[in-house]
Amino acid sequence: MKLSIIVPLFNEADSVIEILNKVVNVSYPSFIESIEIVVVDDCSTDNSFKVVSEYSGSQPRVKVFQHDVNRGKGAAVRTGISNSKGDVFLIQDADSELSPNDIPSMLEAMHQIGVEFVNGSRYLPGISRPLYSYKRYLANKFFTFLTSVVINVRLTDMACGYKLIHKNLYQKLSLFENRFGFEAELLIKALRVKKNNITEVPVQYFPRNRGEGKKLRSMDGARILLTIFKYGLLKLK
């Protein structure tokens, strides 16, 4: 199994190198034949692209691409996958909210269970996590509930950034959402192909607030809701 780790990047100059170092130093399962890390800078306004480009000079497994205009996380993920050679794609956010130490358990789940989609969950038991905004928690649970209903698959964390998808499944999907609705579109369309093709794995979570660089805004919640409506209820392709 060849692994491509896709890192969408926007204004994370202070955290991205720490995350990349952790990704590089993960102890990957023995069935992983090769690893590449594909970073896509979404037209950052800080020096994120510069620091990652310099970093890639000493890390041959790291490839760096850049959008000439800001297009959103979904667009950055699609750019990364289109420039990848892996059999499976893992989405890794460039901030410090999720821990690369959880990557092996996601890979093991895909390998052992035989599914083509593994979703990280910040709510499954088994991992101690710091508490965070109750309003944010309620919003995510609401969106997760709606997504679960429209695809008839019980999920616990639709919006978690950690998603592992096999190339065979990804190639069957037509994805259009550029921004934070991307996660909902990916889940809904992937599970419409085959419902019993997903598992969830508990992951660590270290939440940030707006002052610490949190990107999600209230308006993004409306976009997520619209995405669920379009691809879940209207079943647009």
Side-chain angles (χ1 to χ4, degrees):
M1 182 185 290
K2 298 177 181 178
L3 173 64
S4 295
I5 299 175
I6 314 301
V7 184
L9 171 65
F10 179 69
N11 288 355
E12 297 289 355
D14 293 337
S15 63
V16 63
I17 299 305
E18 178 184 358
I19 289 298
L20 292 177
N21 279 329
K22 290 180 179 179
V23 170
V24 167
N25 292 311
V26 164
S27 296
Y28 291 91
S30 58
F31 56 82
I32 298 298
E33 303 169 27
S34 65
I35 301 162
E36 65 174 355
I37 303 166
V38 183
V39 183
V40 181
D41 179 79
D42 193 29
C43 196
S44 294
T45 56
D46 64 2
N47 64 339
S48 293
F49 180 71
K50 177 182 178 182
V51 299
V52 172
S53 297
E54 292 174 351
Y55 179 84
S56 66
S58 61
Q59 296 288 346
R61 292 190 293 184
V62 178
K63 300 190 295 185
V64 184
F65 299 88
Q66 185 181 39
H67 287 165
D68 55 2
V69 296
N70 179 262
R71 295 168 55 195
K73 178 181 178 179
V77 170
R78 293 198 302 273
T79 296
I81 290 178
S82 67
N83 288 282
S84 299
K85 300 177 181 178
D87 303 312
V88 293
F89 310 120
L90 175 87
I91 302 173
Q92 167 70 62
D93 290 342
D95 56 35
S96 56
E97 290 195 327
L98 298 171
S99 171
N101 291 331
D102 291 317
I103 294 175
S105 63
M106 298 183 69
L107 293 167
E108 291 282 3
M110 175 175 282
H111 183 69
Q112 293 175 8
I113 302 174
V115 295
E116 294 179 309
F117 200 122
V118 180
N119 189 52
S121 175
R122 298 163 292 179
Y123 306 121
L124 286 175
I127 293 180
S128 297
R129 310 173 181 92
L131 300 178
Y132 66 103
S133 168
Y134 189 57
K135 291 181 180 179
R136 195 188 309 167
Y137 166 82
L138 288 178
N140 186 37
K141 296 303 286 186
F142 175 66
F143 294 141
T144 299
F145 169 75
L146 288 180
T147 304
S148 298
V149 168
V150 298
I151 59 175
N152 194 26
V153 174
R154 182 182 178 276
L155 300 170
T156 64
D157 192 1
M158 176 274 291
C160 181
Y162 263 150
K163 286 177 170 51
L164 176 67
I165 185 169
H166 199 285
K167 182 178 181 179
N168 292 340
L169 177 58
Y170 182 83
Q171 289 179 331
K172 298 175 183 177
L173 310 179
S174 296
L175 301 173
F176 304 103
E177 295 300 315
N178 286 337
R179 302 196 178 274
F180 285 102
F182 170 77
E183 282 89 354
E185 180 191 19
L186 179 62
L187 273 169
I188 291 170
K189 290 185 174 180
L191 297 184
R192 188 173 292 152
V193 173
K194 185 178 180 182
K195 282 188 170 57
N196 60 340
N197 201 22
I198 185 172
T199 189
E200 288 191 314
V201 171
V203 298
Q204 300 177 76
Y205 182 50
F206 305 95
R208 301 189 299 176
N209 56 41
R210 290 188 63 173
E212 296 169 319
K214 185 71 176 178
K215 303 294 192 303
L216 192 67
R217 300 293 184 263
S218 298
M219 182 57 68
D220 295 314
R223 294 192 181 102
I224 293 170
L225 187 60
L226 178 60
T227 301
I228 297 171
F229 179 76
K230 287 193 300 183
Y231 305 113
L233 294 176
L234 297 182
K235 297 184 179 181
L236 300 182
K237 296 182 178 180

